[in-house]
Amino acid sequence: MDFPDVDRLVESISKIPNRSETVINKTLRAKGAPKAMDSIQPIIPLSRKKKKHARDSKALVVKHGNLEFTIRPKRAFEYIKYPDLGIGTSKKKQPKEFMKKGLDKAASRIVDDLADAVIKEIDNTLGE
């Protein structure tokens, strides 16, 4: 992540520490996770096999936690972890790291959304 973006977010959070956690969790759920999934889905590699491919399906599922989310493949598409990590059937191949690349692509937009949401909450709370 670009540190100036994160620094701007930390500065905003410090202005309303008692409300920022709730705002961040809501924003990650509503905007952050969907943006990350939208960035990952199109770069999932396709196999040469004639079958239903993860890229063409809703292959990812998100689990939300406190100030975080985790994106994993759905059970039917667990095989996409092999090319991503260079394990299993892709053991001697270079890892594709499409999950990381997709998240990196979306990270600055997610941080911007978080900062905007916190600033909006500051305005609402402090009446500025």
Side-chain angles (χ1 to χ4, degrees):
M1 278 195 218
D2 189 15
F3 288 106
D5 289 341
V6 175
D7 290 342
R8 183 170 53 105
L9 178 60
V10 170
E11 182 181 323
S12 298
I13 290 170
S14 67
K15 292 179 182 176
I16 54 163
N18 57 333
R19 296 277 307 134
S20 57
E21 183 176 337
T22 304
V23 171
I24 289 172
N25 282 327
K26 285 180 182 178
T27 306
L28 286 176
R29 184 175 291 272
K31 294 182 180 180
K35 280 186 180 175
M37 290 174 67
D38 289 346
S39 293
I40 294 168
Q41 190 74 35
I43 59 175
I44 294 174
L46 293 172
S47 73
R48 290 187 274 279
K49 294 181 181 181
K50 292 187 185 241
K51 63 176 186 165
K52 185 176 180 182
H53 291 284
R55 183 189 293 178
D56 303 328
S57 305
K58 296 217 180 271
L60 303 173
V61 64
V62 64
K63 180 183 173 192
H64 296 277
N66 188 36
L67 303 176
E68 69 173 7
F69 60 85
T70 304
I71 297 174
R72 294 193 34 88
K74 290 181 180 175
R75 188 171 196 91
F77 300 104
E78 281 284 320
Y79 69 88
I80 65 176
K81 68 183 175 188
Y82 300 125
D84 191 43
L85 302 173
I87 59 172
T89 57
S90 299
K91 190 171 186 172
K92 295 182 181 178
K93 298 177 184 172
Q94 182 72 22
K96 301 275 194 245
E97 297 183 332
F98 58 86
M99 297 282 272
K100 180 184 180 318
K101 290 175 185 173
L103 184 58
D104 288 347
K105 191 172 154 184
S108 65
R109 292 180 297 164
I110 293 169
V111 171
D112 287 344
D113 286 342
L114 293 172
D116 291 345
V118 172
I119 289 168
K120 184 177 178 181
E121 185 64 25
I122 290 169
D123 291 347
N124 290 342
T125 302
L126 302 178
E128 296 179 354

